[in-house]
Amino acid sequence: MLQEIAAQPAALEQTIYAEREKVARLAQAVRARDIDLIVLVARGSSDNAALFGRYLLEVTTGIPVSLAAPSVYTLYNAELRLSRALVIGVSQSGEGEDINTVLAQARRAGALTVGITNEAASTMTTIVDEVLLMHGGRECSVAATKTYTGQLLLFYMLAAALDDDSHRIEYERIPEYAAQALGLRPRIEELVERYVFMENCIVVGRGFAYANAYEFALKLMETCYVVAERFSSADFLHGPLAMIERHFPVLVFAPPGETLNGAGELLTRLRELHADTLVITSDANVAAQASRCVMMPAAIDELHHAIPYIIPAQLFAALLAAAKGLNPDAPRSLSKVTRTL
Amino acid sequence: MLQEIAAQPAALEQTIYAEREKVARLAQAVRARDIDLIVLVARGSSDNAALFGRYLLEVTTGIPVSLAAPSVYTLYNAELRLSRALVIGVSQSGEGEDINTVLAQARRAGALTVGITNEAASTMTTIVDEVLLMHGGRECSVAATKTYTGQLLLFYMLAAALDDDSHRIEYERIPEYAAQALGLRPRIEELVERYVFMENCIVVGRGFAYANAYEFALKLMETCYVVAERFSSADFLHGPLAMIERHFPVLVFAPPGETLNGAGELLTRLRELHADTLVITSDANVAAQASRCVMMPAAIDELHHAIPYIIPAQLFAALLAAAKGLNPDAPRSLSKVTRTL
């Protein structure tokens, strides 16, 4: 897992180089049709990547996005009206049966279908109109890391190709940001010692950082066996806040931009409740509100933070697992390909 | 909270009686337009009701549904293409600023807008094209119960009005099912004693039962301060399963229908892992796989289970809070109206 985390800058570079042309072709196909809905379908870490894709694509293209509920198709056999939809399946292995069933049904319903996967020879690639691949080699660790950031990158590339340039997505900067984030490893190594006996926690992020809250929580669940809940800061205030008592650990993503103020206010509220907070941010004032912080490079802006900001979280999960005496590459009860219908 | 739980059959009757005509009028307005997307926007318990609405409306109408991310509108100021959309806001108080902002923007974008609320004089009702009300009086407990089931019922009524009758939604049967479910109170009173020291748990449901898993978990978080994670059984197998160790509590909804087999298989897997499981079901074979069970009336079928099946869960949360020496009507750190943007 640590090797795959470290391989991310190079993998991202490769994906940019190898997929740029295909993404441009796909954007042309989208523009040539009357697309008024994007449906994303995925499970696990890939579903977290889709959650990011949702925010990015809605904000930059103005096209509404729906995260599919696979059981609507696979168990209830619904036939949705998707003739004006772009349907994108996301699966590391390309073998998720439920994802592939949704893609096949969507194509029959007249949708433009796309598969995002790490496996060029997988079943998914035989079903869809266009395939986008993550590069950088097979992922061996059960806990996804480089495929998650590869999926985020492909959403950036697609959004940039569909955007009229008003949002200035410069995804070419992301591999360098990822490399900078890897430099935090010594800081994280030191930090995790404090969390060895943490049994449960809450992870909070909002907007472009919401998906990372889900992904950080999932890494903590699968590699450290921590009961990690995930919320947007707005949803968190609608009920779950009641759980917070003295020393309750809350991990907060506070990247620059529109969500920063809310994150700062949440940290102030959590301080009043004597929670134990860890914040990933580049803002010194917000960091001062938290019990502990991971300081990110200030140059990483709102639109480009998602990939570099998940890297300290990936490192945290892998190193905390090791500090707990667990092997993050072989979580109990799991295998790499999960088959559900 | 217990009073409001008990008031649900009567409240549901009143809502059917008072809203039937308005729902029929709304269905006509939907049919008169070229609607190819339904967007639901809500927070907290109302968002859980919307999650149910999503499954029900997609399965019965074939129109794709998207659960809105309010921050896309309120923080990132995106202007989505919604001219062919039906946008439904759900809010107990009708005063959720973020929900109302989304509704106002959607109306400007040409969408048909609907507000589902408990407060006829709220801000929400002044923004939307059509208002659907839950009846049965103001909700005083911070933890929503009768407004949650009232919202589910309105989704049933809307789905029935939009359906071509092929799904045979008979929502008039639901108040009686709810009354039967209330009869489980002595069983739940006895059961909660066993869970007084439970600190965290996982709640699982899928398809039409997925929203209830979210709602049960939220009730446990806000009234009992239990760290309760919620998953669909399919997502649960993609990683979070690793958390399960001997005696880990897992609460499972296993209603009849398409999701029953999967729930049974999950319980068998959890048994192998020595988890401590509680199942809400009417199926004796599935019940036999679990550590403890709540047996529901066998007459309640797949399409109509969501409201009666949440009632033992509501009772469980309220009675467990009392058994823990907590007041479920006054959760710490919360107030009835949560204002977020």
Side-chain angles (χ1 to χ4, degrees):
Chain A
M1 184 173 172
L2 283 166
Q3 271 172 29
E4 287 173 350
I5 291 171
Q8 290 176 107
L12 294 166
E13 288 279 15
Q14 274 183 271
T15 298
I16 291 175
Y17 178 78
E19 299 301 304
R20 199 193 292 258
E21 241 171 76
K22 262 193 283 174
V23 171
R25 191 169 69 204
L26 172 60
Q28 265 187 329
V30 172
R31 282 213 196 80
R33 295 167 67 138
D34 179 24
I35 298 289
D36 67 359
L37 173 66
I38 299 172
V39 177
L40 307 178
V41 49
R43 291 271 182 214
S45 279
S46 304
D47 202 27
N48 298 341
L51 187 54
F52 174 75
R54 185 262 167 89
Y55 281 85
L56 187 69
L57 290 168
E58 281 196 341
V59 169
T60 58
T61 71
I63 304 171
V65 177
S66 170
L67 296 166
S71 67
V72 165
Y73 305 76
T74 59
L75 297 182
Y76 300 115
N77 300 309
E79 302 199 348
L80 300 197
R81 299 184 205 164
L82 295 171
S83 58
R84 287 189 289 230
L86 166 66
V87 179
I88 306 178
V90 191
S91 167
Q92 178 271 134
S93 68
E95 299 299 341
E97 264 181 79
D98 41 5
I99 312 304
N100 289 339
T101 301
V102 177
L103 287 168
Q105 280 191 237
R107 195 170 180 182
R108 279 198 302 275
L112 178 61
T113 56
V114 176
I116 291 183
T117 178
N118 203 40
E119 298 294 335
S122 62
T123 307
M124 179 187 264
T125 64
T126 66
I127 296 173
V128 293
D129 296 304
E130 183 70 87
V131 176
L132 300 178
L133 293 172
M134 288 89 81
H135 293 264
R138 179 156 293 175
E139 188 168 64
C140 298
S141 181
V142 170
T145 53
K146 67 179 178 181
T147 57
Y148 173 73
T149 53
Q151 290 159 353
L152 295 192
L153 179 68
L154 287 168
F155 280 118
Y156 273 113
M157 293 173 70
L158 180 58
L162 290 172
D163 188 36
D164 55 7
D165 258 12
S166 62
H167 292 88
R168 279 180 250 151
I169 302 174
E170 296 169 11
Y171 57 79
E172 300 84 352
R173 290 153 55 188
I174 292 176
E176 170 56 25
Y177 289 158
Q180 289 171 20
L182 284 171
L184 290 162
R185 180 166 168 172
R187 164 72 181 143
I188 308 289
E189 257 165 20
E190 183 190 284
L191 196 63
V192 292
E193 285 298 317
R194 186 168 182 275
Y195 296 86
V196 163
F197 295 102
M198 177 172 75
E199 293 193 346
N200 44 43
C201 70
I202 285 165
V203 191
V204 177
R206 199 175 174 201
F208 292 142
Y210 188 38
N212 278 352
Y214 268 67
E215 180 63 7
F216 192 4
L218 182 56
K219 294 305 104 167
L220 290 170
M221 289 188 251
E222 57 187 359
T223 64
C224 303
Y225 313 149
V226 171
V227 181
E229 294 240 34
R230 60 280 186 240
F231 297 102
S232 91
S233 46
D235 288 322
F236 180 59
L237 298 172
H238 282 258
L241 181 69
M243 282 186 292
I244 300 302
E245 55 198 356
R246 186 174 287 273
H247 294 313
F248 195 102
V250 185
L251 319 179
V252 180
F253 286 97
E258 295 298 336
T259 62
L260 185 65
N261 274 348
E265 283 162 23
L266 175 67
L267 284 164
T268 306
R269 183 88 180 92
L270 290 170
R271 192 176 196 164
E272 290 162 10
L273 297 171
H274 308 285
D276 191 298
T277 53
L278 169 65
V279 65
I280 301 177
T281 190
S282 62
D283 186 282
N285 292 326
V286 164
Q289 296 297 313
S291 315
R292 293 290 184 281
C293 70
V294 173
M295 288 305 286
M296 299 294 294
I300 301 174
D301 65 5
E302 175 169 34
L303 195 55
H304 302 90
H305 85 267
I307 290 174
Y309 272 59
I310 197 60
I311 289 176
Q314 294 169 336
L315 288 168
F316 188 97
L319 294 167
L320 178 60
K324 280 174 171 266
L326 301 168
N327 176 2
D329 293 325
R332 62 186 177 199
S333 317
L334 301 182
S335 60
K336 184 68 182 164
V337 182
T338 310
R339 294 177 195 279
T340 52
L341 198 63
Chain B
M1 186 173 171
L2 283 166
Q3 270 171 28
E4 288 173 349
I5 292 171
Q8 290 177 106
L12 294 165
E13 288 278 15
Q14 274 182 269
T15 298
I16 291 175
Y17 178 78
E19 300 301 305
R20 200 193 292 258
E21 239 172 76
K22 263 193 283 171
V23 171
R25 192 169 68 202
L26 172 60
Q28 264 186 330
V30 172
R31 281 213 197 81
R33 296 168 67 139
D34 179 24
I35 298 289
D36 68 357
L37 173 66
I38 299 173
V39 177
L40 307 179
V41 50
R43 290 272 181 213
S45 279
S46 304
D47 202 28
N48 298 340
L51 187 55
F52 174 74
R54 185 265 166 88
Y55 282 85
L56 187 69
L57 290 169
E58 282 196 340
V59 170
T60 58
T61 72
I63 304 172
V65 177
S66 170
L67 295 166
S71 67
V72 166
Y73 304 77
T74 59
L75 298 182
Y76 299 115
N77 300 310
E79 302 199 348
L80 299 197
R81 299 181 204 166
L82 295 171
S83 57
R84 289 189 288 231
L86 165 66
V87 179
I88 306 178
V90 191
S91 167
Q92 178 272 137
S93 68
E95 299 298 343
E97 263 181 81
D98 41 5
I99 312 304
N100 288 340
T101 300
V102 177
L103 287 169
Q105 279 191 237
R107 196 168 180 184
R108 280 199 300 276
L112 177 62
T113 56
V114 176
I116 291 184
T117 178
N118 203 40
E119 298 293 336
S122 62
T123 308
M124 179 187 263
T125 63
T126 66
I127 295 173
V128 292
D129 296 303
E130 184 70 87
V131 176
L132 300 179
L133 294 172
M134 288 89 80
H135 293 263
R138 180 156 292 176
E139 188 168 64
C140 299
S141 180
V142 170
T145 54
K146 67 180 178 181
T147 57
Y148 174 73
T149 52
Q151 291 159 354
L152 295 192
L153 178 69
L154 287 167
F155 280 118
Y156 274 113
M157 293 172 70
L158 181 59
L162 289 173
D163 188 36
D164 55 7
D165 258 12
S166 62
H167 292 87
R168 280 180 248 152
I169 302 174
E170 296 169 11
Y171 57 80
E172 300 84 353
R173 290 153 55 187
I174 293 177
E176 169 56 23
Y177 290 159
Q180 289 173 22
L182 284 170
L184 291 162
R185 180 165 167 173
R187 164 73 180 139
I188 309 288
E189 256 165 21
E190 182 190 284
L191 196 63
V192 292
E193 285 299 316
R194 185 168 182 276
Y195 296 87
V196 163
F197 295 102
M198 176 172 77
E199 294 193 346
N200 43 43
C201 70
I202 284 164
V203 191
V204 177
R206 200 176 173 198
F208 292 142
Y210 189 37
N212 278 352
Y214 269 67
E215 179 63 6
F216 193 4
L218 181 56
K219 294 306 104 167
L220 290 169
M221 290 188 250
E222 57 188 358
T223 64
C224 304
Y225 313 150
V226 171
V227 181
E229 295 240 33
R230 61 280 186 239
F231 297 102
S232 91
S233 46
D235 288 322
F236 180 60
L237 298 171
H238 282 259
L241 180 70
M243 284 186 292
I244 300 301
E245 55 198 357
R246 186 174 288 273
H247 295 312
F248 195 102
V250 185
L251 319 179
V252 180
F253 287 96
E258 295 298 335
T259 62
L260 185 65
N261 273 348
E265 284 163 23
L266 175 67
L267 284 164
T268 306
R269 183 88 179 91
L270 290 170
R271 191 174 198 167
E272 290 162 10
L273 298 171
H274 308 285
D276 192 299
T277 53
L278 169 65
V279 66
I280 302 178
T281 190
S282 62
D283 186 282
N285 292 326
V286 165
Q289 296 297 311
S291 314
R292 294 291 184 279
C293 69
V294 173
M295 288 305 285
M296 299 294 294
I300 301 174
D301 65 5
E302 174 168 34
L303 195 55
H304 302 91
H305 84 268
I307 290 175
Y309 272 59
I310 197 60
I311 289 177
Q314 295 169 336
L315 288 168
F316 188 97
L319 294 166
L320 178 60
K324 278 173 172 265
L326 301 167
N327 176 2
D329 293 324
R332 63 186 177 199
S333 318
L334 301 183
S335 60
K336 184 66 182 165
V337 182
T338 309
R339 294 179 194 278
T340 53
L341 199 64

